[in-house]
Amino acid sequence: MKNKLVYFIAFLLLSSCSLEEKIVDTLTPENSISTQSDVTAFLNGTYAELQSSNGFKGNYAVFWSTADDINIRPGIASNLPYSIKTQDSSTPATAGFWQALYSTINRCNYLLEQVEPLSINAAYKARVKGELYFLRGFSYFYLVRLFGDVPLRLKATSLTDDLTLERTSVDKVFEQIFQDFKLASSSLLTRTALPASEFGHATKGAAQALLAKAYLTYASYQSLKGTSGNANFSLAQVYADSVINSNQYQLIGSYNDLWDVAKERDAYREVIFGIAFTRDSQTGALGSQFAGFFMPSTMPNVAGQGTTKVGVANYNVQPWFYDKYSTGDYLNDYRVERSFLTTWTNTSNRKVITYPLLKASTTSTELTENQPYIYKYVDGDGLSNSNQENDLFIIRLAEVYLIKAEAENEVNGPTATAYTAFNMLRARARNAGGTVRTTPANLATGLSKDEFRMRIVDERALELFAEGHRWFDLVRIKAPNGKSMMEYQFGTFLPTLKAGLPVYNNTARRWDGGVTESSSIPTSFNQRLMLLPIPQTELVANPKITQNPGY
């Protein structure tokens, strides 16, 4: 278990409803921050907001199942609207995530105001301010990508303030994000200088990596609008290089080790920033849900459900997605084995296989399921399905290499620099847990800019599968038809696939039927797929705010 006692204490302080407690995040003069220990407690509580049920612990569905690779099983009530693309302004997770991000922002604003006049260690004060700028920029980076224009709040608010505020343009929100990450980068510690007691806190590398990603995202936004994003693509590469050349991070030798929960601390040699979770025997609040909701309900010792430690299998992999990213370039790619689960022995000691595997014979006793599972999040020591150890990796060095490759390609085409950065991931993928394979081969030269961009889309799809990136990628990256990948996938590509889930034909030993869980694939593209709705709670509370198109 990770050493996160300080998070637990801060969480209790900041979430207690008892009138006997000192509620340190109540923004009043009586509860103002006065000592360095107050600052530390409040800062830890600000990180804890991202771990909360409203934050990344429980509401990841707002960007995880709104894409095309993962679906929530029909009949599951929790968060199903995101999977079947019927979410609206009243869907609870949207309001919850909005609230968590703005709560984080308000805490940052408040502590920035409170810490400035304090007579505390100057170096510590500068570092705290850097973390607060990072967390504020991080929160706005999610808000602007999920909702578009959003209110920009840069001062702490209380219930006595006028909380009505118009939406600020995407351009101006990104300007603030760039500024916050730059301020953070100037004062944060490097990964190797960060005290062990501050595991999970932001570092200089985290600020620079997310700055690279923010510039890449904004440049992509400009490109889709028909304006040149070259200046921002170039800045994305500059900051990607600053992370790569810092020598603070390295690709973990085996892709498998990234997802071994017992080696999670060591994974942070590659993981630049993550949302840290830990098994929590006291309240359950600090554990993660991923293993519980992703793993099968018949596979023992993988999650926290019951005495057999199974999952509840709310999420599955779209069959077409597995097909695409386990064939061609990705045939025999070790990442496929560690990302997708297609066979196991169940709690009754019977073998289970999923699409597209075939039974050994027509008389075999193997059981079949028609969709693969997500295999990156496993915790056989989980305490419940909402209380496991798995962290959510926000950005890894692997993605920074892809950012560099994409940015270089957009400005100069697929140069040797772009190929070299891209192939760093292929080289690691050939290490199959210590056995070197010949696949996936390095990407060969001779591609056009558009072709290389599509290879990056594919590489991101597999390398970063189930890490919370796919929806954002579909929205921002330009497709072969000049539109967004979201419009291309849902308007052009996916409609060509046979709808419906596969059905196993035992007599012929083959899978018949379709390759999509079709309720999660709209019959045509709708602009509402590009953004989430502004929550109804915000519309009611703030009459100056307007709704996104299509809602």
Side-chain angles (χ1 to χ4, degrees):
M1 180 177 291
K2 306 181 191 75
N3 179 18
K4 297 175 186 170
L5 179 59
V6 67
Y7 281 87
F8 179 68
I9 294 171
F11 186 89
L12 290 181
L13 286 172
L14 295 174
S15 61
S16 172
C17 296
S18 169
L19 297 178
E20 301 301 320
E21 298 282 357
K22 177 185 177 184
I23 311 299
V24 297
D25 69 335
T26 302
L27 308 185
T28 67
E30 292 78 11
N31 285 331
S32 60
I33 309 295
S34 59
T35 67
Q36 186 162 311
S37 61
D38 289 342
V39 172
T40 300
F42 198 92
L43 176 63
N44 288 334
T46 304
Y47 280 97
E49 186 68 24
L50 298 177
Q51 298 168 299
S52 69
S53 292
N54 272 343
F56 289 89
K57 175 183 173 72
N59 286 334
Y60 48 85
V62 301
F63 53 83
W64 218 316
S65 58
T66 44
D68 60 353
D69 55 341
I70 297 170
N71 66 275
I72 297 176
R73 284 192 296 116
I76 300 297
S78 177
N79 293 326
L80 184 61
Y82 298 100
S83 182
I84 62 177
K85 316 301 187 282
T86 61
Q87 71 272 8
D88 58 30
S89 60
S90 298
T91 309
T94 306
F97 205 61
W98 174 285
Q99 178 185 334
L101 293 172
Y102 270 111
S103 176
T104 301
I105 290 165
N106 200 41
R107 290 166 185 251
C108 291
N109 290 338
Y110 177 71
L111 190 52
L112 281 167
E113 294 168 8
Q114 292 292 312
V115 76
E116 186 60 39
L118 292 185
S119 297
I120 60 175
N121 180 274
Y124 180 75
K125 179 191 290 189
R127 198 149 60 82
V128 166
K129 289 170 66 177
E131 292 189 64
L132 295 170
Y133 287 128
F134 174 88
L135 290 170
R136 187 171 71 181
F138 175 86
S139 298
Y140 274 122
F141 188 39
Y142 271 87
L143 282 166
V144 75
R145 290 183 296 162
L146 289 168
F147 299 99
D149 300 349
V150 292
L152 189 61
R153 301 184 184 277
L154 303 177
K155 294 182 179 180
T157 58
S158 69
L159 294 178
T160 60
D161 291 335
D162 179 5
L163 301 180
T164 62
L165 194 65
E166 294 179 349
R167 299 173 71 172
T168 301
S169 71
V170 165
D171 304 276
K172 290 190 179 298
V173 176
F174 267 104
E175 286 179 15
Q176 187 62 49
I177 292 166
F178 300 147
Q179 180 178 327
D180 280 351
F181 282 148
K182 287 175 183 178
L183 287 169
S185 175
S186 68
S187 60
L188 290 176
L189 297 176
T190 62
R191 179 187 72 86
T192 52
L194 191 72
S197 61
E198 296 181 23
F199 174 80
H201 283 226
T203 61
K204 181 182 291 291
Q208 292 174 340
L210 284 172
L211 191 53
K213 187 167 183 174
Y215 273 118
L216 185 81
T217 301
Y218 186 59
S220 301
Y221 167 80
Q222 291 176 306
S223 181
L224 282 173
K225 287 179 61 178
T227 59
S228 175
N230 280 3
N232 290 311
F233 279 124
S234 294
L235 286 168
Q237 185 170 347
V238 167
Y239 285 102
D241 279 334
S242 69
V243 176
I244 293 167
N245 296 333
S246 71
N247 296 317
Q248 289 285 311
Y249 305 94
Q250 63 188 85
L251 295 180
I252 298 296
S254 173
Y255 192 74
N256 177 70
D257 289 348
L258 280 168
W259 312 107
D260 184 340
V261 73
K263 300 178 180 178
E264 197 168 61
R265 270 296 186 101
D266 193 54
Y268 279 81
R269 290 184 291 123
E270 176 174 336
V271 177
I272 302 172
F273 185 69
I275 306 296
F277 294 97
T278 191
R279 303 180 200 105
D280 174 10
S281 60
Q282 299 185 60
T283 69
L286 299 183
S288 61
Q289 295 184 350
F290 314 130
F293 284 87
F294 293 166
M295 296 306 294
S297 59
T298 63
M299 185 177 182
N301 302 314
V302 291
Q305 176 78 357
T307 57
T308 53
K309 299 293 186 179
V310 298
V312 293
N314 283 7
Y315 292 75
N316 287 104
V317 181
Q318 286 278 6
W320 75 267
F321 188 86
Y322 179 88
D323 283 345
K324 182 175 177 65
Y325 294 106
S326 61
T327 58
D329 267 11
Y330 302 107
L331 182 65
N332 205 34
D333 189 317
Y334 186 59
R335 292 174 294 184
V336 174
E337 297 169 30
R338 200 56 186 88
S339 299
F340 308 106
L341 177 68
T342 55
T343 184
W344 65 93
T345 300
N346 70 11
T347 52
S348 300
N349 204 34
R350 291 185 66 181
K351 185 177 181 180
V352 183
I353 62 171
T354 77
Y355 176 88
L357 301 187
L358 301 176
K359 288 186 178 184
S361 69
T362 57
T363 59
S364 171
T365 61
E366 294 161 295
L367 302 173
T368 60
E369 295 195 24
N370 52 15
Q371 289 186 262
Y373 288 85
I374 301 163
Y375 198 32
K376 281 186 171 178
Y377 304 95
V378 179
D379 184 7
D381 293 321
L383 302 180
S384 76
N385 271 322
S386 295
N387 191 1
Q388 286 120 164
E389 188 82 358
N390 314 87
D391 289 358
L392 177 62
F393 299 155
I394 297 296
I395 190 163
R396 301 190 272 115
L397 182 62
E399 185 179 7
V400 174
Y401 279 119
L402 289 176
I403 289 171
K404 177 175 180 173
E406 183 178 348
E408 171 69 10
N409 180 60
E410 293 300 331
V411 177
N412 300 312
T415 63
T417 296
Y419 280 104
T420 298
F422 182 100
N423 285 328
M424 292 293 292
L425 276 66
R426 292 286 178 93
R428 194 261 296 274
R430 290 193 290 272
N431 176 15
T435 301
V436 179
R437 297 179 178 177
T438 58
T439 55
N442 280 355
L443 190 62
T445 59
L447 299 176
S448 68
K449 177 187 287 190
D450 288 344
E451 289 170 336
F452 191 86
R453 184 189 303 120
M454 289 304 295
R455 292 301 186 97
I456 288 174
V457 170
D458 288 338
E459 199 73 10
R460 291 182 64 88
L462 179 57
E463 173 72 31
L464 306 175
F465 170 68
E467 295 177 55
H469 302 286
R470 179 69 174 177
W471 184 83
F472 295 117
D473 286 346
L474 295 182
V475 167
R476 73 167 181 84
I477 299 177
K478 184 183 292 185
N481 61 4
K483 305 293 185 180
S484 70
M485 280 299 302
M486 182 72 81
E487 184 167 350
Y488 177 78
Q489 288 294 100
F490 285 98
T492 302
F493 172 69
L494 291 172
T496 68
L497 303 179
K498 188 172 182 181
L501 289 172
V503 177
Y504 192 75
N505 183 328
N506 193 59
T507 302
R509 288 187 66 238
R510 68 170 184 245
W511 288 94
D512 296 329
V515 289
T516 66
E517 195 295 293
S518 52
S519 70
S520 297
I521 308 294
T523 55
S524 61
F525 173 78
N526 187 308
Q527 194 65 28
R528 74 198 300 271
L529 295 174
M530 299 293 288
L531 291 171
L532 292 182
I534 302 297
Q536 184 64 28
T537 50
E538 183 69 15
L539 294 172
V540 171
N542 183 2
K544 292 183 181 178
I545 203 166
T546 56
Q547 185 55 277
N548 280 326
Y551 292 100

